[in-house]
Amino acid sequence: MRPFKQIVLTAATGISALLFCAPAAAAASGADSFPPREEVFQLVAKQTQGTFVDVDGSSGPSQGDEFVITGNLFRGVVPVGTYSQICTLTRTAPNDEFDLQCAADLALPLGQITVQGRFTVTSAGPGDIDLAITGGTGRYRTAHGHIHGVNVSDTETNLTVHLIR
């Protein structure tokens, strides 16, 4: 069984990767259109910082523990934005399984995109992650859709962004 902190880091990286997708979408999107259209594109999210906050000092996961991460998003080798994310452990039983509720913000040149969702992490890791695009500011004020992430390492995640504007 992988150590708890490593599993949380992997899960958080997957989320951050999902968040990174939005910046690339911002870079790829054209003028506003009606009816809304979906843009689908691939990104790679790379975590640069991550901190685990153990709220009660116990060993292992406990309800309310948090993971705070930041990183960079790339489309190919080109950086397209940054992200910030906070994930809170909401369910911790059985011991080798827990749920994370995550909220993230993607900072892009033309505005911000917000992402949110919950997923389960097991001793094998978080698996594929799907999170909702819940809104944004500026160019992304009407953004919605979802992001699908697949972790390829503890600090890198491949993302497929489904952005609807």
Side-chain angles (χ1 to χ4, degrees):
M1 180 170 160
R2 292 172 22 190
F4 171 72
K5 191 170 182 179
Q6 182 181 17
I7 292 171
V8 171
L9 176 62
T10 300
T13 300
I15 295 170
S16 63
L18 294 177
L19 300 178
F20 280 124
C21 296
S29 62
D32 291 340
S33 64
F34 187 81
R37 69 173 197 270
E38 179 179 22
E39 298 174 43
V40 179
F41 52 92
Q42 305 293 315
L43 296 174
V44 176
K46 295 184 180 182
Q47 180 180 327
T48 58
Q49 293 181 322
T51 301
F52 176 71
V53 180
D54 187 357
V55 298
D56 69 0
S58 67
S59 64
S62 59
Q63 193 173 35
D65 287 352
E66 292 185 330
F67 195 75
V68 181
I69 60 171
T70 62
N72 297 311
L73 181 62
F74 295 85
R75 190 161 192 184
V77 297
V78 177
V80 293
T82 62
Y83 74 97
S84 297
Q85 166 184 325
I86 298 175
C87 296
T88 304
L89 278 78
T90 58
R91 183 183 64 87
T92 59
N95 288 336
D96 65 344
E97 181 178 298
F98 57 89
D99 289 345
L100 288 174
Q101 171 68 36
C102 300
D105 177 270
L106 304 173
L108 307 171
L110 300 176
Q112 298 176 1
I113 297 173
T114 57
V115 179
Q116 182 175 351
R118 181 185 67 85
F119 60 94
T120 299
V121 179
T122 68
S123 59
D128 291 2
I129 299 169
D130 290 296
L131 299 175
I133 296 172
T134 57
T137 65
R139 175 94 178 254
Y140 310 104
R141 69 189 177 281
T142 61
H144 60 285
H146 69 281
I147 297 174
H148 179 80
V150 177
N151 291 325
V152 295
S153 75
D154 287 344
T155 60
E156 189 172 310
T157 303
N158 292 331
L159 307 171
T160 303
V161 179
H162 299 264
L163 180 68
I164 301 171
R165 300 186 313 117

